[in-house]
Amino acid sequence: MTTTERRTTGGVDYPGQALGLMPDVPRQGGFGPATTGKWSINAPYHHPAAGWGAAMSVGNVLVRERQPVKGTVTMFQMNHPGKGFDCPGCAWPDGPGVTLDICENGIKHVTWEMTSKRVGPEFFAKHTVTELADWTDYDLEDVGRLTHPMVYDAETDRYRPISWQGAFALIAKHLQALTSPDAASFYTSGRLSNEATFLYQLFCREFGTNNMPDCSNMCHEASGRALTASIATGKGTVDLEDWEHADTLFVIGVNAASNAPRMLTSLAEAVDRGAQVVHVNTLREAGATRTIVPHEILDMARFKTTDTSTANLQVRPSGDFALMRGMAKAVFEAAETDASAIDHEFLANYTTGLDEYRELVAATQWADLERQSGLSEAEIRDAAKIYLDSERTIIAWCLGVSQQEFAVDTIREIMNLLLLRGNIGRLGAGPSPVRGHSNVQGNRTCGVNHHPTEAWLARMDAATGIVSPRKYGLDTVRTIEGMHRGDVKVFVGMGGNFVRAVPDPVMTAEGLAQCELTVQVSTKLNRSHLTHGKDALILPCLGHSERDLQASGVQSVSNEDAMSSVQLSKGPKRPASPYLLSECDIIARMAMATLPDTQTPWQWYVDDYDNIRDVMSRALEGFENFNELVRQKYGFRIPQHARERVFRTPSGRAEFSHADLPNVVPADSETLVLQTMRSHDQWNTTIYTNNDRYRGITNAREVVLLNAEDMRERGIEHGDPVDIVSTSKDGSQRRVRRYLALEYDTPRGSAAGYMPEMNALIGAADFSPQSDQPLMKSVHIRVMKSV
């Protein structure tokens, strides 16, 4: 176990090293490249986001991966619907007509995939799994693209080659031996196309289980549940055109410069046209200051910067609910003398629960709102005035909101505020969750869902001829618990790096080790290949940028972006190995091997992906005439009833929620609230370097960012090594040692540090009962100087 992977119970270190995790040695670079170079922090970042800093970073990546020519050509092929391929990074929509609709992190992600380095049987013959466990996560991925299917050999502690036929036979053997289909769990990271997603859920449900954990369980599950309860859709209702017409944008819990860099263009354009852009975040991020838009060539040449905000509000961790409630209080107060402060006609015709909500807001005291938000009454009222002065308002949010303890209540409070002024179902207004992974929203739309509705299952069953199980399945947290108990005996991961993405890596690794079989479908070597079951398979697949050739020719797949637009993607590059299979092909062959009596035409699906889309057009609402619609120039937008002010809630109206103001302030002053986050040179669990340019940090990942006053109270100096102890909801404690304490502009009582290193501080019991999401933004810790 690394420093970050040691847990304690009752003050006693947990015994033993979990299979496949790194040894207990402090590393300045954490899970990134090994380094002894001088660390530094130069914050705040004074340069504009994107622009020449991003361009130089991209150039360095292209040179490092030895792809200066191919990588540059690829930049012009990304994010062009129909004729190009979708960026495998974030889910921000593609800008119509933009020649170079790219970002720094998208180029890093694609170039990382296009590397000329290869990991074949020769590599695995040289290295045991025990030896590889000592490597950093960066070193594992840096060895290159996987080229052959591999199977674990316990006698030699090595992976060895296996034929594709042998791999699928092994999967079938284990799945068929289970006493219940629910003893298997099928994970996906959000990288699957819509077509592969549909096949994956079809296989799982024909096999007999809804055990389909996915990355939504860790990122936006709360958003889906809150929006569904409020307006009967799990998605935002706005698109890019709405962003272009909004008078005000509230951007909450979003680090745009790193996590959705192409959003910077929309923010800059909004400020340019005179809109108000209000950032709400615990940390002052670079994306909330100014930018140079990379595809605006003249601006780049002239170093012309554009502001990306007109106001910034620095809330305490989880203080967003109190801010929204306070703004609603100010709106109701304004309505007492100005009838136009709220939209009476909309409220009367389209909503329910207003009177009870008004009474609840009136009873909420300003002193409580100030304490829980970390803002003054004046700051909250100023934000409310911006909202009241705006005819059309969008509220966008990301993981800074959705990974809180009370995230569902908070997002419903966002919806309450929007409803008060009729900010839904009209141009330039509405809710806008900022999704992360490229097709995480499409995965859920197309069926990867552990709690599907009866209506969804009935339509899918009618289209495919199967009978789906109706029992709810396991999500991510419950899958970890199930593996650890021994109830889940087969784990299949379609993409991602499960053990690094989830909380409590020790418990997760131990659970995976108890499985009879683990299967990882991947493009690169990662930590989850080393935290394996008794039998284990690594199955290499095509990347987004690679050509997918099947019986009918080169195939296209589709993805759904964060604003419900569906577009085709076709990889142009030669595959990294002739032995790679597409994800659709892998899923279909698993199904055919496991279900010998299946009536599903799996090979027909794989031969021509149009066949998959034809069935999807019958199975999925909004996908009618899928093949025709997706071949339009910019694809199509999935219709949303809520966008047309048709609300399919039990009441037939948009529903106000009535949650009490939550207490998010720790009971004692020694406890800080930690938020885990990504660095700028990182995408999900993939770490490119140990630098975080927009936060001014160089050569360090085992760090904790602290408020200066909090440091002084604890006798901690800038740069001191500190130990961090978390206390889980079940009373157990976890500890990381000798992290660098760095002074940073963060509110009193808060702290921040990088995932996945700090995931070890989050126990399996540390999830929100509202969303079942792990509490990545609400970790209660104590920090003390290392001995």
Side-chain angles (χ1 to χ4, degrees):
M1 290 173 289
T2 69
T3 309
T4 59
E5 292 167 338
R6 182 183 290 274
R7 61 177 175 169
T8 63
T9 304
V12 179
D13 281 342
Y14 187 88
Q17 179 172 327
L19 176 66
L21 297 180
M22 293 163 63
D24 186 13
V25 177
R27 287 182 174 84
Q28 182 178 311
F31 298 159
T35 181
T36 57
K38 182 176 176 55
W39 66 268
S40 65
I41 178 170
N42 184 19
Y45 184 76
H46 294 293
H47 304 286
W52 288 108
M56 291 175 64
S57 176
V58 165
N60 290 335
V61 170
L62 294 175
V63 171
R64 184 183 69 204
E65 294 301 321
R66 290 174 281 181
Q67 298 289 345
V69 176
K70 290 183 180 179
T72 302
V73 171
T74 299
M75 290 165 58
F76 290 88
Q77 297 172 320
M78 281 173 52
N79 298 326
H80 289 286
K83 62 182 180 180
F85 69 98
D86 189 64
C87 175
C90 79
W92 189 254
D94 302 333
V98 178
T99 302
L100 200 60
D101 190 19
I102 60 170
C103 72
E104 174 187 356
N105 278 351
I107 291 296
K108 290 177 189 172
H109 202 76
V110 171
T111 308
W112 196 246
E113 177 180 281
M114 288 173 51
T115 179
S116 59
K117 302 172 187 176
R118 298 291 181 263
V119 184
E122 300 83 2
F123 172 86
F124 288 104
K126 294 177 182 177
H127 303 288
T128 66
V129 168
T130 301
E131 176 190 345
L132 291 173
D134 290 344
W135 291 27
T136 69
D137 291 64
Y138 170 88
D139 288 338
L140 292 173
E141 292 202 36
D142 190 49
V143 291
R145 289 289 301 277
L146 295 161
T147 61
H148 292 68
M150 307 295 292
V151 63
Y152 180 67
D153 185 335
E155 289 188 7
T156 62
D157 189 33
R158 287 177 169 84
Y159 278 97
R160 59 173 176 79
I162 186 173
S163 67
W164 279 108
Q165 182 178 0
F168 295 124
L170 183 62
I171 294 170
K173 171 188 169 184
H174 279 283
L175 289 177
Q176 291 169 358
L178 298 175
T179 57
S180 165
D182 290 331
S185 193
F186 300 85
Y187 172 76
T188 180
S189 71
R191 64 159 284 134
L192 288 185
S193 66
N194 291 327
E195 292 76 11
T197 296
F198 186 76
L199 294 188
Y200 196 46
Q201 65 82 31
L202 178 60
F203 166 47
C204 295
R205 292 190 166 108
E206 185 172 358
F207 179 63
T209 186
N210 284 313
N211 288 354
M212 281 177 269
D214 70 335
C215 58
S216 284
N217 299 154
M218 292 175 281
C219 58
H220 271 290
E221 187 74 35
S223 299
R225 295 190 187 190
L227 290 169
T228 298
S230 178
I231 58 174
T233 176
K235 307 175 185 180
T237 62
V238 306
D239 59 17
L240 277 184
E241 185 180 7
D242 291 308
W243 275 66
E244 292 165 0
H245 287 84
D247 301 313
T248 296
L249 294 162
F250 283 90
V251 183
I252 310 177
V254 179
N255 176 14
S258 295
N259 298 344
R262 288 181 294 141
M263 185 202 294
L264 295 174
T265 301
S266 295
L267 298 177
E269 290 174 348
V271 174
D272 254 359
R273 68 172 183 269
Q276 297 293 306
V277 178
V278 182
H279 289 263
V280 180
N281 209 335
T282 302
L283 302 179
R284 298 284 180 99
E285 300 285 16
T289 57
R290 55 201 173 100
T291 186
I292 300 177
V293 179
H295 61 252
E296 296 293 343
I297 304 301
L298 286 177
D299 288 353
M300 287 281 284
R302 293 181 295 155
F303 293 86
K304 181 181 181 295
T305 66
T306 306
D307 289 341
T308 54
S309 68
T310 56
N312 276 272
L313 293 172
Q314 198 167 16
V315 294
R316 71 162 63 249
S318 303
D320 311 287
F321 183 110
L323 170 61
M324 295 295 106
R325 175 64 56 87
M327 290 173 63
K329 189 175 182 71
V331 169
F332 279 124
E333 290 175 0
E336 294 174 3
T337 56
D338 179 3
S340 67
I342 61 177
D343 189 334
H344 295 278
E345 182 179 359
F346 172 81
L347 292 168
N349 293 334
Y350 294 104
T351 73
T352 184
L354 173 64
D355 290 341
E356 184 178 347
Y357 179 63
R358 191 197 319 262
E359 292 175 5
L360 185 65
V361 172
T364 308
Q365 301 301 307
W366 278 110
D368 293 330
L369 293 169
E370 287 183 307
R371 183 166 187 266
Q372 295 301 326
S373 67
L375 301 171
S376 68
E377 179 181 340
E379 289 175 304
I380 298 173
R381 287 190 179 277
D382 285 346
K385 186 177 187 307
I386 293 172
Y387 181 58
L388 284 163
D389 289 343
S390 171
E391 182 183 345
R392 295 164 294 196
T393 299
I394 289 173
I395 301 181
W397 68 91
C398 197
L399 305 191
V401 172
S402 63
Q403 290 182 332
Q404 300 174 11
E405 175 87 19
F406 303 100
V408 173
D409 285 346
T410 299
I411 297 163
R412 294 210 64 187
E413 196 71 12
I414 289 172
M415 287 306 306
N416 288 347
L417 184 62
L418 287 170
L419 293 176
L420 286 179
R421 291 180 53 78
N423 276 308
I424 186 171
R426 56 190 178 89
L427 184 65
S432 184
V434 180
R435 306 285 180 175
H437 211 308
S438 57
N439 200 40
V440 61
Q441 185 160 298
N443 289 172
R444 185 57 60 93
T445 298
C446 297
V448 169
N449 189 349
H450 67 282
H451 53 86
T453 66
E454 173 57 33
W456 195 96
L457 290 175
R459 180 166 177 160
M460 201 274 296
D461 285 0
T464 61
I466 72 165
V467 178
S468 297
R470 264 50 182 179
K471 175 186 173 185
Y472 281 0
L474 301 179
D475 62 9
T476 295
V477 168
R478 308 302 179 192
T479 291
I480 295 170
E481 293 173 349
M483 290 190 300
H484 207 257
R485 286 194 308 268
D487 298 338
V488 173
K489 299 183 181 299
V490 174
F491 177 88
V492 179
M494 290 295 296
N497 186 356
F498 187 74
V499 76
R500 280 297 182 229
V502 301
D504 204 329
V506 171
M507 180 176 178
T508 304
E510 290 171 345
L512 288 164
Q514 292 187 71
C515 288
E516 296 300 321
L517 173 69
T518 55
V519 181
Q520 302 288 347
V521 179
S522 311
T523 57
K524 282 195 163 191
L525 187 65
N526 65 47
R527 184 67 50 184
S528 293
H529 301 133
L530 312 182
T531 56
H532 57 76
K534 298 169 187 174
D535 279 336
L537 290 166
I538 299 174
L539 305 183
C541 66
L542 294 172
H544 283 236
S545 61
E546 292 173 322
R547 190 166 52 249
D548 182 357
L549 180 62
Q550 302 296 341
S552 63
V554 177
Q555 304 298 306
S556 295
V557 293
S558 65
N559 295 281
E560 178 186 352
D561 65 32
M563 296 182 187
S564 302
S565 290
V566 179
Q567 299 174 340
L568 278 181
S569 174
K570 181 185 291 186
K573 304 300 178 186
R574 185 174 66 184
S577 163
Y579 299 100
L580 303 184
L581 297 181
S582 74
E583 291 157 332
C584 288
D585 200 358
I586 290 171
I587 294 163
R589 295 193 196 201
M590 275 198 294
M592 288 186 286
T594 303
L595 307 168
D597 299 324
T598 182
Q599 298 302 303
T600 299
W602 294 104
Q603 192 58 54
W604 177 73
Y605 281 140
V606 175
D607 287 346
D608 188 340
Y609 295 175
D610 277 356
N611 297 332
I612 307 174
R613 287 186 281 270
D614 281 341
V615 175
M616 292 172 72
S617 71
R618 300 193 299 273
L620 305 177
E621 183 179 9
F623 281 71
E624 295 82 359
N625 299 315
F626 188 8
N627 271 310
E628 292 76 18
L629 289 175
V630 81
R631 284 180 166 83
Q632 297 177 140
K633 185 174 182 180
Y634 297 117
F636 70 101
R637 193 178 194 280
I638 301 171
Q640 283 183 292
H641 293 278
R643 185 175 169 85
E644 307 303 321
R645 293 188 169 181
V646 175
F647 303 112
R648 295 179 171 182
T649 60
S651 67
R653 292 167 172 256
E655 301 196 355
F656 278 92
S657 61
H658 307 114
D660 291 328
L661 178 69
N663 180 14
V664 299
V665 181
D668 66 275
S669 60
E670 284 299 308
T671 298
L672 304 177
V673 180
L674 171 74
Q675 301 186 89
T676 66
M677 61 191 185
R678 297 191 304 221
S679 74
H680 181 65
D681 250 2
Q682 175 181 354
W683 185 251
N684 294 337
T685 59
T686 295
I687 300 165
Y688 304 118
T689 75
N690 297 321
N691 303 329
D692 191 353
R693 187 172 76 249
Y694 290 143
R695 297 189 182 104
I697 298 173
T698 303
N699 265 338
R701 285 188 58 84
E702 289 195 341
V703 301
V704 59
L705 308 184
L706 298 170
N707 175 276
E709 289 298 318
D710 288 332
M711 292 175 70
R712 278 191 280 275
E713 286 181 356
R714 290 160 178 76
I716 297 170
E717 298 288 336
H718 180 69
D720 277 351
V722 295
D723 290 0
I724 307 169
V725 177
S726 66
T727 301
S728 179
K729 288 184 176 183
D730 62 11
S732 62
Q733 291 189 328
R734 288 155 179 80
R735 177 187 300 266
V736 298
R737 295 180 172 86
R738 303 197 66 79
Y739 270 48
L740 291 173
L742 302 181
E743 185 178 317
Y744 203 81
D745 182 8
T746 187
R748 288 292 302 273
S750 68
Y754 298 127
M755 65 79 70
E757 285 86 349
M758 281 191 165
N759 286 4
L761 292 170
I762 307 167
D766 297 329
F767 60 89
S768 167
Q770 298 186 349
S771 65
D772 294 326
Q773 283 186 232
L775 298 178
M776 308 293 194
K777 299 295 187 288
S778 303
V779 188
H780 284 202
I781 62 169
R782 289 180 295 112
V783 181
M784 66 287 295
K785 290 181 68 171
S786 300
V787 178

